[in-house]
């Protein structure tokens, strides 16, 4: 039986560009699917098709048991959407933003007010509830945007890059909120460029590139597919990067990765702790001082690099300015409430 979010053969083109080229998804009820991919891979297009904001050229999509193409109004009443940019009205207070959303969903004024107060407290915004949203920090606006998506407690949520630009504290706060939602039975499709985020939150992961699904599985399954261990070295002096690279290449079983700005070098290896000791000895013989060295399992970054040929970049997919995109998301929320 299809899950709470189901897509089969989704295709969407923009001129000569096939943003989606036969995408299949199946998200069981009460779970989180992490949708990963490079910028322009089709993640946001998939979200917009599944939330009725774009119509696919072909394929099938079912959300909360409702056909996205045949029952778009019913789908909108059954989902919450937090887009790439905080879609809040800057001239309304936080409380007024949430009450407005409730009234758009035809909640009675008293119920909308009570729900707004509940969400403001839940998202640590109670102290700023009666300040205009334009005075909020970026993290506060993001939390208010997510709260607005939850006014009617939807069974299915879509979050498109929800923590982009947030500091670690606000990111952790949103992670905690997401965990509580899912533990309460909410189904979530999450797109993100933060691979740690997908590793931390997602039950299953789908990687897309150029509109195609190129891999799917749990975090552990994708890491096992990448295989092997990694030796990771941080050299003390930048001028030692090249020599350390020669040493690691000699022990490695794959391509060497170098991060110049952090002076960190990583290479796939086999041999475990015994090989690590040999690497340390060779670096010492070469007179290379190190700040850190370790042996670790593959991360989702390694998986991403292996599958797509480059590391994930934390940037927005929308080609317009943030203000334009935020205004678009505000319109989408109002359309969803009709």
């Amino acid at each position: 039986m299809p899950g709470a979010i189901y897509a089969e053969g989704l295709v969407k083109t923009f001129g000569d560009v096939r943003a989606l080229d036969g995408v299949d998804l199946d998200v069981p009820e009460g779970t989180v699917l992490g949708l990963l991919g490079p910028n322009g891979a089709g993640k946001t297009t998939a979200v917009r098709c599944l939330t009725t904001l774009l119509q696919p050229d072909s394929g099938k999509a079912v959300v909360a048991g409702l056909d996205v193409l045949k029952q778009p109004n019913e789908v909108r009443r059954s989902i919450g959407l937090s887009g790439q940019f905080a879609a809040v009205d800057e001239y309304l207070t936080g409380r007024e933003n949430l009450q407005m959303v409730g009234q758009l969903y035809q909640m009675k004024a008293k119920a909308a007010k009570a729900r707004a107060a509940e969400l403001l407290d839940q998202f640590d915004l109670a102290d700023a509830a009666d300040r205009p949203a334009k005075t909020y920090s970026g993290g506060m606006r993001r939390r208010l945007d997510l709260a607005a998506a939850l006014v009617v407690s939807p069974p299915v949520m879509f979050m498109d890059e929800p923590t982009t630009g947030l500091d670690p504290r606000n990111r952790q706060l949103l992670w905690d909120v997401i965990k509580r939602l899912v533990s309460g039975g909410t189904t979530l499709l999450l797109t993100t460029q933060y691979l740690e985020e997908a590793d931390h939150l997602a039950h299953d992961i789908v990687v897309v590139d150029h509109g195609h699904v190129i891999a799917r599985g749990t975090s552990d399954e994708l890491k096992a597919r990448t295989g092997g261990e990694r030796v990771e070295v941080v050299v003390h002096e930048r001028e030692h990067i090249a020599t350390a690279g020669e040493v690691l290449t000699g022990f490695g079983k794959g391509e060497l990765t170098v991060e110049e700005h952090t002076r960190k070098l990583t290479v796939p290896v086999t041999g475990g702790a015994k090989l690590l000791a040999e690497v340390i000895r060779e670096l010492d013989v070469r007179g290379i001082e190190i700040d850190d060295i370790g042996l670790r399992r593959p991360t989702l970054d390694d998986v991403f690099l292996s599958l797509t040929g480059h590391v994930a970049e934390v940037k927005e997919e929308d080609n317009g300015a943030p203000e334009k995109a935020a205004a678009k998301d505000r319109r989408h929320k109002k359309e969803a409430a009709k």
Side-chain angles (χ1 to χ4, degrees):
M1 176 182 258
I5 303 172
Y6 177 78
E8 181 180 333
L10 282 187
V11 173
K12 181 64 183 177
T13 59
F14 299 98
D16 295 332
V17 177
R18 291 178 75 84
L20 299 178
D21 195 4
V23 169
D24 299 331
L25 300 171
D26 193 357
V27 190
E29 185 176 340
T31 67
V32 179
L33 176 72
L35 189 61
L36 308 184
N39 292 310
K43 303 185 301 298
T44 294
T45 300
V47 168
R48 289 176 176 169
C49 286
L50 290 167
T51 55
T52 77
L53 301 178
L54 282 176
Q55 185 167 343
D57 300 327
S58 61
K60 178 181 180 180
V62 176
V63 174
L66 302 163
D67 190 297
V68 171
L69 294 177
K70 296 178 182 177
Q71 302 166 283
N73 290 333
E74 291 85 349
V75 169
R76 290 170 190 155
R77 286 193 287 268
S78 301
I79 64 173
L81 170 63
S82 180
Q84 284 188 358
F85 304 95
V88 300
D89 190 316
E90 294 188 342
Y91 294 97
L92 297 180
T93 66
R95 191 185 308 278
E96 289 167 343
N97 265 282
L98 298 184
Q99 290 180 190
M100 176 188 70
V101 172
Q103 290 169 345
L104 286 171
Y105 275 98
Q106 300 180 352
M107 293 175 67
K108 292 183 178 180
K110 185 176 180 180
K113 184 176 181 180
R115 181 59 174 158
E118 179 184 347
L119 288 167
L120 288 164
D121 186 60
Q122 180 181 353
F123 283 85
D124 196 24
L125 292 169
D127 289 344
D130 298 310
R131 281 169 38 197
K134 66 181 179 180
T135 68
Y136 285 17
S137 68
M140 293 169 69
R141 290 188 192 197
R142 207 69 179 109
R143 301 204 303 275
L144 181 62
D145 179 71
L146 182 53
L150 297 172
V151 166
V152 292
S153 302
V156 177
M157 276 288 298
F158 294 85
M159 296 186 184
D160 193 10
E161 309 280 1
T163 62
T164 296
L166 295 189
D167 60 53
R169 177 184 176 277
N170 279 305
R171 187 172 299 132
Q172 184 62 56
L173 179 61
L174 280 186
W175 287 2
D176 292 341
V177 169
I178 289 169
K179 287 179 183 177
R180 288 197 298 270
L181 285 173
V182 176
S183 66
T186 300
T187 304
L188 172 63
L189 188 149
L190 168 76
T191 78
T192 181
Q193 294 282 15
Y194 294 105
L195 305 186
E196 178 194 5
E197 186 163 86
D199 207 358
H200 194 74
L201 297 173
H203 296 90
D204 290 291
I205 292 170
V206 167
V207 184
V208 294
D209 198 10
H210 296 101
H212 296 276
V213 173
I214 60 173
R216 68 179 78 225
T218 66
S219 177
D220 285 342
E221 287 169 348
L222 292 179
K223 290 173 186 177
R225 172 174 168 176
T226 302
E229 300 168 309
R230 269 70 177 155
V231 167
E232 196 170 84
V233 176
V234 178
V235 298
H236 186 67
E237 300 291 345
R238 195 172 301 278
E239 55 264 31
H240 287 157
I241 289 177
T243 307
E246 293 174 8
V247 172
L248 292 184
T249 299
F251 287 99
K253 300 297 182 181
E255 184 178 351
L256 174 73
T257 302
V258 179
E259 297 179 15
E260 295 276 351
H261 62 292
T262 59
R263 308 183 308 283
K264 183 168 74 175
L265 303 90
T266 307
V267 70
V269 297
T270 57
K274 182 178 178 181
L275 180 132
L276 181 63
E278 294 175 6
V279 172
I280 293 172
R281 280 195 295 270
E282 184 62 23
L283 290 170
D284 186 53
V285 168
R286 299 282 195 105
I288 300 172
E289 186 178 352
I290 59 175
D291 289 342
D292 194 17
I293 188 167
L295 188 69
R296 62 168 177 79
R297 294 181 60 210
T299 65
L300 278 181
D301 289 273
D302 299 317
V303 172
F304 198 94
L305 179 61
S306 173
L307 291 171
T308 67
H310 54 83
V311 298
E313 299 176 59
V314 182
K315 291 196 293 187
E316 316 301 345
E317 287 190 63
D318 199 301
N319 292 326
E323 293 82 4
K324 181 179 177 182
K328 189 188 299 180
D329 279 345
R330 282 195 293 272
R331 291 198 304 274
H332 292 162
K333 280 188 173 171
K334 291 179 180 179
E335 289 169 8
K338 289 179 181 178

